[in-house]
Amino acid sequence: MPAPHCCALSRGAERCVRHRLLRRMRLLVRPATVLRRHRDLFARRHAAQSRRKCGGRPRTIHSIRPLVLRLAKENPGWGFRRPHGELLVLGVKAAASTGWDILRESLAT
């Protein structure tokens, strides 16, 4: 009598395993993957909405241009690098390339 009971149990176990395998094969992605992608999508959307509207580097302060041009006019031997150092001494924070660009634009016009 125990033999048929064991076979029925093994058939039931086999059916259960087959059912689970078929079910897994039917799902191309796991539910956790779908939930993770959904979370990532909303995180990117929220990050995009809270980001600044205009991208890139902040604009240069308008008062720097006349100051750089004045320093270059009063000291013609300084070249391109020295006005940046003088701006730092005056407490104006700007990149060295900002001064170079301003001087290059003024020479072009």
Side-chain angles (χ1 to χ4, degrees):
M1 205 65 150
H5 183 58
C6 183
C7 288
L9 226 126
S10 65
R11 272 189 268 134
E14 182 185 344
R15 193 178 314 133
C16 181
V17 168
R18 193 176 334 134
H19 176 71
R20 284 187 178 189
L21 281 175
L22 287 175
R23 203 166 152 204
R24 283 228 174 200
M25 288 174 63
R26 197 172 49 202
L27 288 175
L28 295 177
V29 283
R30 289 184 278 166
T33 305
V34 174
L35 290 174
R36 189 196 65 216
R37 288 181 182 169
H38 191 260
R39 270 194 317 268
D40 292 346
L41 176 72
F42 273 93
R44 278 195 307 267
R45 181 175 175 207
H46 176 70
Q49 286 176 348
S50 63
R51 195 176 43 195
R52 284 184 14 188
K53 301 302 179 227
C54 58
R57 178 176 277 190
R59 298 195 68 148
T60 306
I61 302 169
H62 294 292
S63 61
I64 291 177
R65 182 177 172 75
L67 189 57
V68 169
L69 292 175
R70 184 174 145 216
L71 285 171
K73 184 179 177 184
E74 292 176 0
N75 306 291
W78 275 6
F80 283 92
R81 285 198 183 267
R82 186 78 186 269
H84 174 250
E86 289 301 316
L87 287 175
L88 292 177
V89 170
L90 294 172
V92 178
K93 253 188 155 176
S97 60
T98 302
W100 305 341
D101 292 339
I102 291 171
L103 291 174
R104 196 175 314 123
E105 285 174 11
S106 71
L107 291 176
T109 55

